[in-house]
Amino acid sequence: MKALRWHAARDLRLEEVAEPPGPRPHEAVVEVSWCGVCGTDLHEFLEGPHMIRESPHPFTGARPPLALGHELSGTVVDLGAEVPGIAVGDRVAADPCWRCGVCHWCVRGEYHLCPKGGSVGLASSGAFAERVSVPLAGLTRLPENVDDEMAAVAEPLAVGLHAVNRAGVRPGDNVLVVGGGPIGVAVVLAARLAGAAGLYVSEPLAARREMLRRIGVTEAFDPGTADVRREVFVRTGRVGPDVVIDATGVPRLAAQAVATVRRGGRVVLAGVGHGSVEFDMGQLVFYERAVLGTLGYSHDIARVIDLMSTGRLDASALITGRFPLSEGVGVFEDLAADRARHLKVLLTPKGL
């Protein structure tokens, strides 16, 4: 089969590789319909390895070269064990988190924190391929009214939903989202579902600000020309936002988020970043602000599919490009040269 495999930074190759082996009891094999390009994939392409291990992964045993891609939809072609409600031939979305199933975190349902875990496309060969092995426990059967393209963006939407749940967004809250990329948009959509009264976004790219206005944010600010902290402070009755969610991973913006959220408010860091964050401890203690990290999702992909199925969640604005897998190397090169051109790009091995 064909697969788009990472060998090293800036070394991505479309290659002929072996089919996935027959699934072990905790695995399924899925024929890929669509797979989204994540910022994580792009970081691995540009300067990896970051989350890819050069030595064998302790749970999967995989090592490079391996196919990237973890935001997938497809059709089940083989099951390692019986799963209630899932059969060969079913269309599915897949939660790509490998988990041991027996550690302290897995038995509490926090499988995304499993110390032995990892993700399809980083800890094992991924879904930029015709077929892929995925965790059996992560399959969600797709209703007829959720198509394969929408199901492929369930994973980034689940990241946003998980972040909003971690933030405890309540009806009537004012929320500031820092960064209007795919995860920032996912956070906006989830915060609106949670009942946020004011939805503000800080985003430097004009095209993204315009798109955010079209999907119904209260205001989208250019941080290069506006004092976002002051603007949101004024618009919230000189109180400040109840919640600030950073979707960038930029350390200095995380520090600004702490200074921006209202007294008693909550900051959630959803962007995957590197480096240290410095802030005045008094900003937390004297104003009783809380800072939380959020990682991926936990049982959230199935929730996203349900929200799509009932019509409460329309994520069509996220998808801005669709390409065949055969053009994958060029797609990555184009995104590396100009990330502003797209929000979410999908690749398919099936041709267009």
Side-chain angles (χ1 to χ4, degrees):
M1 68 174 187
K2 296 291 186 182
L4 189 63
R5 298 208 298 173
W6 184 95
H7 287 255
R10 291 282 186 175
D11 187 0
L12 199 60
R13 309 177 197 174
L14 184 67
E15 299 177 310
E16 193 80 23
V17 300
E19 296 264 353
R24 293 176 290 181
H26 64 282
E27 297 174 338
V29 177
V30 171
E31 183 177 74
V32 178
S33 295
W34 293 93
C35 185
V37 179
C38 178
T40 301
D41 298 320
L42 197 57
H43 282 302
E44 295 292 343
F45 170 68
L46 287 171
E47 67 266 343
H50 290 303
M51 299 178 73
I52 293 173
R53 292 172 178 256
E54 295 188 275
S55 57
H57 189 276
F59 183 74
T60 67
R63 63 184 302 174
L66 53 78
L68 296 173
H70 57 272
E71 302 176 357
L72 72 136
S73 64
T75 301
V76 176
V77 296
D78 203 355
L79 295 168
E82 291 187 7
V83 181
I86 300 288
V88 171
D90 283 345
R91 293 187 311 116
V92 294
D95 182 326
C97 293
W98 294 111
R99 73 294 301 262
C100 74
V102 297
C103 71
H104 174 81
W105 292 272
C106 283
V107 298
R108 290 168 58 90
E110 299 171 343
Y111 61 86
H112 63 308
L113 302 178
C114 175
K116 294 182 180 179
S119 175
V120 170
L122 298 167
S124 67
S125 199
F128 292 142
E130 295 181 66
R131 282 164 289 282
V132 62
S133 295
V134 299
L136 187 69
L139 297 179
T140 297
R141 186 174 180 272
L142 297 179
E144 289 186 6
N145 63 344
V146 176
D147 66 31
D148 293 334
E149 289 187 21
M150 287 297 101
V153 297
E155 193 270 358
L157 290 168
V159 175
L161 183 62
H162 189 69
V164 166
N165 287 337
R166 288 279 288 163
V169 176
R170 296 183 288 264
D173 277 354
N174 289 301
V175 178
L176 169 63
V177 181
V178 183
I183 299 305
V185 172
V187 168
V188 165
L189 294 173
R192 185 165 62 192
L193 285 169
L199 271 170
Y200 306 94
V201 183
S202 174
E203 167 53 50
L205 297 177
R208 288 184 174 177
R209 292 196 303 274
E210 181 56 34
M211 182 276 299
L212 287 158
R213 293 184 183 108
R214 289 198 303 271
I215 66 172
V217 300
T218 307
E219 185 57 272
F221 301 103
D222 178 0
T225 60
D227 182 341
V228 177
R229 179 176 181 270
R230 174 168 176 76
E231 294 293 341
V232 178
F233 180 72
V234 170
R235 284 165 171 76
T236 54
R238 308 187 73 81
V239 171
D242 301 285
V243 171
V244 178
I245 300 179
D246 175 74
T248 69
V250 178
R252 65 177 177 81
L253 297 181
Q256 288 178 15
V258 172
T260 299
V261 75
R262 70 162 173 83
R263 298 180 184 220
R266 304 169 302 282
V267 172
V268 170
L269 305 180
V272 178
H274 306 280
S276 300
V277 179
E278 293 187 7
F279 52 82
D280 181 351
M281 287 183 63
Q283 294 269 354
L284 295 183
V285 177
F286 295 132
Y287 300 147
E288 206 173 62
R289 292 161 167 153
V291 179
L292 295 171
T294 180
L295 176 66
Y297 32 79
S298 177
H299 306 289
D300 295 290
I301 289 179
R303 297 181 179 119
V304 167
I305 296 298
D306 283 343
L307 288 165
M308 289 178 170
S309 178
T310 58
R312 295 191 64 207
L313 179 56
D314 178 7
S316 55
L318 262 179
I319 302 174
T320 55
R322 302 162 180 84
F323 300 91
L325 185 66
S326 59
E327 297 179 16
V329 174
V331 168
F332 269 80
E333 292 284 3
D334 288 345
L335 289 173
D338 182 10
R339 295 185 66 176
R341 289 181 60 189
H342 288 286
L343 267 180
K344 180 58 61 180
V345 168
L346 303 182
L347 301 181
T348 178
K350 298 179 179 295
L352 293 174

